[in-house]
Amino acid sequence: YSKNKWYQHASYVGDTRETMKQVFQRITMLHQWVFLGNEGSLELEPIFGENGPYFYSTILREPISWVMSMFKYDQLYYGKKAVPRLDVYLQKLIWGGPNFSTRRLCGVGCVFATEATLSPEDMFLRAKSMLEHFDLILVLETLDASLQAGVLGHIFASLEFEHEKNKNKTYAKNESNKHRKEGGKPVSLQGKLLEQAQDYTWMDKVIYEYGKLLAEAKQR
């Protein structure tokens, strides 16, 4: 592969960073790549394309599962008095407002944008365009060892992940079970609370489903 700088964009996808850290360390050791990571928004003008210096990758997560995870994390970090209930939590416009993942993909100028400064359609179209330019798209819910090895094998033919593959199989199984409990399907939300969470993440859901299709296409 002609590039040697890996830029990983992961908008707070939880413990997945530990799984991918093993992969990146292995790539760095065997191939002398430089790894850069970003958990926030994309920069204003990412340097995409074959002539750019970076191999861009990102990890997507099912939106309601992400909301539930962030809600529980903030309850632990700030305390339940500050974050008492999910319905109150969503009304506070966490991390800039609804559709967190779309805003992050749209770029730094979109994070705190309002409809008065940026229409939902323009934000969606820019985020969609940004996602299409990534070299590699991973999906948290299918981030198992076989997928990792298969995807990365197209880029790094000499990689061997015997230890990581065994460890990641257990990790992926545990993550899958956790997602079901936390709302990955989303079984733990019902009625108005579910509707509120869906309204909060409706654009993220479209981006997520489109991202899964892109991920499959880029892996062929």
Side-chain angles (χ1 to χ4, degrees):
Y1 202 83
S2 60
K3 299 182 182 182
N4 67 349
K5 295 182 178 65
W6 185 309
Y7 186 104
Q8 167 66 24
H9 177 251
S11 291
Y12 302 96
V13 290
D15 293 337
T16 309
R17 77 190 86 181
E18 296 302 322
T19 302
M20 294 307 296
K21 184 179 178 181
Q22 299 175 19
V23 177
F24 299 136
Q25 286 176 339
R26 186 72 168 168
I27 291 170
T28 300
M29 181 176 67
L30 292 180
H31 298 270
Q32 289 76 53
W33 274 49
V34 176
F35 170 68
L36 301 93
N38 173 20
E39 283 194 321
S41 61
L42 282 178
E43 59 269 35
L44 187 61
E45 295 293 340
I47 310 174
F48 291 123
E50 293 182 2
N51 296 325
Y54 302 116
F55 176 87
Y56 276 87
S57 67
T58 191
I59 302 178
L60 303 178
R61 182 174 186 176
E62 194 282 321
I64 291 182
S65 176
W66 173 85
V67 166
M68 294 297 292
S69 179
M70 287 298 296
F71 170 62
K72 292 183 179 182
Y73 173 83
D74 282 354
Q75 276 193 324
L76 290 173
Y77 189 83
Y78 296 106
K80 290 188 176 181
K81 287 185 177 180
V83 189
R85 304 193 316 269
L86 181 60
D87 58 336
V88 176
Y89 184 67
L90 294 178
Q91 292 172 8
K92 290 186 176 182
L93 302 179
I94 52 174
W95 298 99
N99 299 305
F100 170 93
S101 296
T102 306
R103 290 174 181 273
R104 281 342 193 235
L105 284 170
C106 181
V108 64
C110 306
V111 175
F112 294 102
T114 65
E115 291 191 23
T117 59
L118 180 68
S119 72
E121 181 181 8
D122 287 343
M123 182 169 68
F124 172 80
L125 290 176
R126 178 175 168 82
K128 177 177 175 289
S129 176
M130 292 296 101
L131 190 60
E132 291 168 347
H133 283 83
F134 276 86
D135 298 290
L136 174 66
I137 299 172
L138 299 170
V139 179
L140 178 61
E141 285 70 25
T142 57
L143 188 62
D144 57 25
S146 61
L147 179 58
Q148 286 184 23
V151 171
L152 296 177
H154 293 299
I155 308 164
F156 305 103
S158 62
L159 282 183
E160 294 291 340
F161 288 102
E162 291 304 322
H163 173 71
E164 289 88 344
K165 282 191 291 187
N166 293 333
K167 185 174 182 180
N168 287 342
K169 284 181 180 178
T170 301
Y171 172 85
K173 182 177 180 181
N174 290 340
E175 281 294 291
S176 177
N177 290 337
K178 185 173 75 171
H179 293 162
R180 283 195 292 271
K181 293 177 183 178
E182 291 186 353
K185 286 300 181 182
V187 295
S188 60
L189 298 180
Q190 297 178 355
K192 290 184 178 180
L193 194 56
L194 175 58
E195 291 179 7
Q196 186 179 3
Q198 289 173 332
D199 288 343
Y200 198 88
T201 60
W202 71 268
M203 195 181 297
D204 286 351
K205 181 66 172 177
V206 178
I207 287 289
Y208 172 77
E209 295 298 334
Y210 181 60
K212 288 197 296 184
L213 296 177
L214 283 178
E216 293 177 4
K218 291 176 181 289
Q219 291 162 20
R220 296 191 185 118

